């Protein structure tokens, strides 16, 4: 694991490292693939593709097939059940990472080695370095980052499986290095009770409010949940600060011990200051009001997280939203070298030393919609992607993934020296689907963004949303779930039927020609919009967490597949609206 000395070296020489990486893309990529083949070509999985033992870079691209998780799953299952990891990779697996892809999927087991962890750490540190250089004084204070863990699983082989955050926060790299920059004591992060953990992390953040210069978490969804929690518990938090005693329901030994070292005396002055801020009728800018020295909000805001941008901009009072890094359980990909980019303009510069990358060209139809399958073009390597083109990323790693389709569609938006910069577009497997039509996550997101614009002048915020294809009817229809609130307070807005129907119309008008033609011909029913009460999506998050998803890595599903999840959202429904039947 990265030592304090190695961490210091990256912070001191990071910009030079970045220049070298982005200037020598092709050479570094070839070296990475050579290293992978030199180490792993003799494994059971790879050796069958090299019958003559000639495992060079070109024969790799010619002989080894492009795969999905299902193709490699039998090998991973064998390792999890006790066979040696050498059937798939030469390096020792230190544990499996859990990956769901979307919050409703079955967990995948992704091998992780000490070497692959080091590469992830290097990317995290380089990303942090770039961000800090953009904000003067941001390295002088502390980070109020809300992080959570889930219990580890143990496979029959004895290898553990967990989400990356759970593994990371238990490493010596974090405990002895980066943890000192956080307001949250390590024991509050490692608490398995999310509610106790959240309360204690917020309490320590408020106690150190004058030292906090960074506010964030892994994903924007966690910060949205944090704000809701603060709305519900700020009075109790103030009471703890005022009296100097932790609430009786905080019973986790680690939390209690950590808080006893921080909450050492009554502080009525601080409690009064916080109370005065929280009693304001409008919570616009509440984050910067509570933590006045904050320079930026730090979390992933691309992809499905983009639905939280307006909410964080409102509560953040205009301070920058920084989306730092693009990674997954399978690999680290790239970092945001322009932290001050607007949320919807964020691009990630791929770093060529983390894995070997290939890109499947993705076609676009006449309306700019990504095709369901890639084109007949051969995959291209990192150095040869073209500006403005769309690609699905394929990754090969030292940790046993070979030409593995991650499922993400990216658009090339520019270059840093010779290294491409990509904008996340969508996940290929996230679609609304009725027999005659498929609507992608990207198309759905763009349509909703247009529709919500008519609500904003009315002081109404769309805080979160999801959807599903209702095929219980004939013909089927698409159903949207929206959680709305008034700006600055939790009041449910008065729902004007004409306005909400207009939202439905805008969404449908934004869909492609195929959808419109089927809708006009009666093969698809009118789109339905169901408005749910404040807090309903928190219940949905609790449901997925109860099924094993980590709070820190929760991604709200854009398209629901679970009947239980749909039932939860339906239980909070307060209004139902439809597009006109004869719209097209």
């Amino acid at each position: 694991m990265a030592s304090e000395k190695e961490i210091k070296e990256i912070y001191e020489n990071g910009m030079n490292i970045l220049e070298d990486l982005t200037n020598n893309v092709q050479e570094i990529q070839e070296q990475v693939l050579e290293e992978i083949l030199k180490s792993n070509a003799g494994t059971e999985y790879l050796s069958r593709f090299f019958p003559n033992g000639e495992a060079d870079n070109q024969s790799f691209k010619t002989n080894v097939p492009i795969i999905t998780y299902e193709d490699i799953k039998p090998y991973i299952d064998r390792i999890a059940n006790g066979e040696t990891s050498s059937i798939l990779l030469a390096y020792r697996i230190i544990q499996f990472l859990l990956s769901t892809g979307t919050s409703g999927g079955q967990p995948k087991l992704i091998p992780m080695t000490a070497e692959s962890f080091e590469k992830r750490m290097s990317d995290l540190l380089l990303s942090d370095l770039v961000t800090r250089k953009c904000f003067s004084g941001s390295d002088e204070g502390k980070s109020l980052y809300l992080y959570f863990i889930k219990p580890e699983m143990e496979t029959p082989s004895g290898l553990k499986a967990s989400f990356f955050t759970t593994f990371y926060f238990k490493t010596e790299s974090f405990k002895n290095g980066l943890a000192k920059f956080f307001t949250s004591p390590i024991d509050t992060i490692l608490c398995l009770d999310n509610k106790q953990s959240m309360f204690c992390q917020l309490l320590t953040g408020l106690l150190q409010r004058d030292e906090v210069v960074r506010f964030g978490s892994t994903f924007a969804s966690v910060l949205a949940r944090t704000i809701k929690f603060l709305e519900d518990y700020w009075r109790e938090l103030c009471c703890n600060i005022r009296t100097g005693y932790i609430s009786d329901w905080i019973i986790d030994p680690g939390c209690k011990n950590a808080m006893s070292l921080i909450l050492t005396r009554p502080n009525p002055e601080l409690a009064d200051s916080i109370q005065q801020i929280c009693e304001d009728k409008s919570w616009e800018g509440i984050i910067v009001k509570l933590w006045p020295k904050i320079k930026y909000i730090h979390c992933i805001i691309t992809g499905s997280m983009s639905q939280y941008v307006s909410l964080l901009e409102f509560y953040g009072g205009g301070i920058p939203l920084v989306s730092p890094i693009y990674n997954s359980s399978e690999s680290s990909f790239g970092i945001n070298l322009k932290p001050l980019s607007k949320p919807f303009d964020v691009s990630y510069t791929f770093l060529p030393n983390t894995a070997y990358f290939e890109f499947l060209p993705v076609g676009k139809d006449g309306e700019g919609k990504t095709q369901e399958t890639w084109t007949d073009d051969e995959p291209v390597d990192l150095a040869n992607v073209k500006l403005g083109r769309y690609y699905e990323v394929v990754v090969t790693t030292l940790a046993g993934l070979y030409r593995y389709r991650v499922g993400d569609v990216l658009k090339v938006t520019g270059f840093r020296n010779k290294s491409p910069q990509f904008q996340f577009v969508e996940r290929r497997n996230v679609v609304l689907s009725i027999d005659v039509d498929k609507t992608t996550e990207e198309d759905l997101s763009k349509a909703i963004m247009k529709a919500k614009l008519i609500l904003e002048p009315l002081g109404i915020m769309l805080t979160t949303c999801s959807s599903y294809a209702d095929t219980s009817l004939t013909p089927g229809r698409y159903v949207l779930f929206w959680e709305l609130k008034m700006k600055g307070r939790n009041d449910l807005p008065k729902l004007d039927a004409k306005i909400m129907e207009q939202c439905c119309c805008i969404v449908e008008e934004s869909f492609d020609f195929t959808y419109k033609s089927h809708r006009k011909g009666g093969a698809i029913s009118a789109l339905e919009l169901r408005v749910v009460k404040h807090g309903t999506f928190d219940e949905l998050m609790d449901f997925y967490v109860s099924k094993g998803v980590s709070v820190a890595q929760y991604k709200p599903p854009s398209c629901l597949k679970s009947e239980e999840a749909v039932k939860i959202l339906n239980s909070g429904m307060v209004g139902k609206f439809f597009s006109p039947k004869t719209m097209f």
Side-chain angles (χ1 to χ4, degrees):
M1 306 304 173
S3 65
E4 191 167 349
K5 180 181 178 181
E6 290 170 322
I7 292 172
K8 182 179 179 182
E9 182 179 350
I10 289 178
Y11 277 123
E12 289 178 349
N13 302 311
M15 300 311 293
N16 291 332
I17 294 172
L18 278 173
E19 285 303 301
D20 179 62
L21 290 174
T22 56
N23 270 312
N24 300 289
V25 173
Q26 185 65 42
E27 298 91 331
I28 294 173
Q29 279 282 276
E30 292 297 326
Q31 291 169 9
V32 167
L33 183 54
E34 286 174 8
E35 181 185 358
I36 292 171
L37 293 178
K38 182 179 179 181
S39 300
N40 299 335
T43 62
E44 180 183 323
Y45 178 84
L46 274 184
S47 62
R48 59 201 171 111
F49 302 115
F50 306 111
N52 299 323
E54 297 179 2
D56 57 48
N57 290 9
Q58 187 54 50
S59 58
F60 171 82
K61 297 176 186 178
T62 302
N63 299 340
V64 178
I66 293 173
I67 63 168
T68 65
Y69 182 76
E70 292 305 313
D71 297 307
I72 207 165
K73 184 177 183 293
Y75 289 86
I76 292 175
D77 287 346
R78 285 167 59 188
I79 296 170
N81 287 322
E83 290 193 47
T84 173
S85 60
S86 61
I87 63 174
L88 186 61
L89 68 157
Y91 290 89
R92 184 179 70 87
I93 296 176
I94 56 177
Q95 83 153 64
F96 291 108
L97 294 180
L98 292 175
S99 169
T100 56
T102 60
S103 296
Q106 290 298 311
K108 303 172 185 176
L109 295 178
I110 305 297
M112 184 171 68
T113 66
E115 292 76 16
S116 64
F117 175 74
E118 289 292 342
K119 292 183 183 297
R120 288 174 179 274
M121 279 299 302
S122 295
D123 281 10
L124 288 171
L125 294 171
L126 285 172
S127 172
D128 188 56
L129 172 67
V130 170
T131 302
R132 292 188 185 212
K133 282 188 173 294
C134 283
F135 298 93
S136 60
S138 65
D139 56 349
E140 296 173 359
K142 289 191 173 185
S143 302
L144 172 51
Y145 287 167
L146 285 301
Y147 288 130
F148 306 89
I149 70 166
K150 289 287 289 186
E152 298 167 318
M153 296 167 47
E154 187 167 312
T155 64
S157 66
L159 285 171
K160 292 182 178 179
S162 72
F163 293 98
F164 177 76
T165 48
T166 296
F167 174 83
Y168 172 52
F169 294 128
K170 291 185 175 183
T171 63
E172 295 304 313
S173 295
F174 180 73
K175 291 180 181 178
N176 298 331
L178 299 179
K180 62 187 176 184
F181 300 111
F182 286 31
T183 57
S184 301
I186 185 66
D187 284 336
T188 64
I189 295 174
L190 298 181
C191 172
L192 293 174
D193 185 304
N194 292 328
K195 182 179 176 182
Q196 292 187 62
S197 176
M198 176 82 81
F199 187 90
C200 291
Q201 290 191 61
L202 276 174
L203 182 55
T204 57
L206 290 170
L207 288 166
Q208 302 170 75
R209 63 183 294 240
D210 290 331
E211 298 179 61
V212 173
V213 294
R214 298 171 294 274
F215 179 76
S217 189
T218 313
F219 293 116
S221 57
V222 181
L223 296 185
R225 179 65 174 262
T226 299
I227 293 165
K228 173 64 167 57
F229 191 93
L230 187 60
E231 289 173 336
D232 293 339
Y233 285 92
W234 69 262
R235 292 176 180 83
E236 188 172 345
L237 289 162
C238 284
C239 180
N240 281 210
I241 295 170
R242 181 171 285 109
T243 62
Y245 290 101
I246 192 72
S247 295
D248 291 341
W249 58 271
I250 303 297
I251 58 175
D252 178 79
C255 284
K256 288 184 69 175
N257 181 62
M259 297 313 302
S260 69
L261 301 175
I262 296 176
L263 191 64
T264 56
R265 63 179 180 84
N267 193 337
E269 295 82 5
L270 176 60
D272 289 344
S273 298
I274 295 169
Q275 179 177 335
Q276 185 176 1
I277 293 168
C278 293
E279 283 181 337
D280 196 315
K281 288 184 179 179
S282 173
W283 268 35
E284 183 173 2
I286 189 70
I287 294 172
V288 76
K289 289 176 183 177
L290 288 173
W291 296 281
K293 294 182 181 178
I294 281 182
K295 305 287 185 179
Y296 56 89
I297 295 174
H298 186 272
C299 62
I300 302 301
I301 51 173
T302 50
S304 62
M305 296 297 136
S306 62
Q307 63 179 285
Y308 298 105
V309 167
S310 58
L311 182 143
L312 291 180
E313 287 178 336
F314 177 80
Y315 287 112
I319 57 177
L321 304 181
V322 176
S323 192
I325 195 164
Y326 168 40
N327 59 20
S328 70
S329 299
E330 291 85 358
S331 176
S332 180
F333 299 95
I335 63 177
N336 180 3
L337 296 183
K338 297 179 180 179
L340 290 173
S341 298
K342 296 295 184 183
F344 295 103
D345 296 330
V346 169
S347 292
Y348 301 100
T349 302
F350 268 45
L351 301 183
N353 63 328
T354 57
Y356 182 72
F357 302 111
E358 295 174 274
F359 298 87
L360 295 166
V362 174
K364 285 275 185 175
D365 63 19
E367 297 187 348
K369 182 177 180 179
T370 56
Q371 296 173 358
E372 186 177 353
T373 57
W374 65 77
T375 68
D376 292 332
D377 298 337
E378 288 294 314
V380 298
D381 56 31
L382 184 62
N384 291 316
V385 297
K386 303 298 183 184
L387 184 66
R389 291 289 302 272
Y390 292 78
Y391 299 92
E392 181 179 348
V393 63
V394 174
V395 67
T396 297
T397 72
L398 273 169
L401 301 180
Y402 309 106
R403 307 196 89 187
Y404 178 97
R405 290 177 63 185
V406 177
D408 291 353
V409 174
L410 312 174
K411 179 183 179 182
V412 183
T413 56
F415 295 85
R416 168 65 177 263
N417 297 325
K418 296 180 181 179
S419 187
Q421 297 171 319
F422 293 88
Q423 192 170 65
F424 182 92
V425 177
E426 66 185 10
R427 289 195 65 83
R428 292 313 295 263
N429 60 343
V430 181
V431 293
L432 274 174
S433 178
I434 300 177
D435 288 341
V436 295
D437 183 72
K438 293 182 186 296
T439 297
T440 68
E441 179 183 32
E442 180 191 19
D443 296 322
L444 179 62
S445 176
K446 287 180 178 179
I448 291 173
M449 289 296 176
K450 290 180 183 178
K452 75 172 189 173
L453 291 177
I454 68 171
L455 299 177
E456 292 176 357
L458 304 175
I460 300 173
M461 296 177 64
L462 171 59
T463 60
T464 189
C465 57
S466 191
S467 62
Y468 88 104
D470 186 356
T471 56
S472 64
L473 306 171
T474 303
R477 63 158 49 96
Y478 292 150
V479 178
L480 305 182
F481 289 100
W482 286 10
E483 185 172 308
L484 303 174
K485 63 178 288 188
M486 298 302 297
K487 285 186 177 181
R489 58 185 192 273
N490 292 332
D491 298 357
L492 183 71
K494 184 177 180 181
L495 302 175
D496 184 300
K498 290 185 178 180
I499 295 292
M500 302 313 297
E501 288 169 6
Q502 189 178 349
C503 287
C504 294
C505 292
I506 293 173
V507 170
E508 286 201 294
E509 288 169 351
S510 301
F511 287 162
D512 63 15
F513 172 79
T514 302
Y515 176 90
K516 292 174 184 175
S517 62
H518 286 308
R519 174 83 157 78
K520 183 177 181 180
I524 298 176
S525 293
L527 179 136
E528 180 180 347
L529 171 58
R530 299 175 186 174
V531 177
V532 300
K533 64 185 178 182
H534 186 58
T536 303
F537 273 85
D538 285 341
E539 295 178 22
L540 181 67
M541 182 177 184
D542 291 339
F543 164 73
Y544 281 117
V545 169
S546 73
K547 296 295 183 182
V549 174
S550 168
V551 170
Q553 296 189 218
Y554 172 72
K555 300 175 184 177
S558 301
C559 310
L560 296 169
K561 309 296 182 183
S562 162
E563 291 184 8
E564 290 178 90
V566 172
K567 189 178 296 184
I568 289 169
L569 295 185
N570 278 334
S571 69
M573 185 170 58
V574 293
K576 182 187 295 188
F577 308 92
F578 297 88
S579 291
K581 290 183 179 180
T582 57
M583 180 177 168
F584 297 105

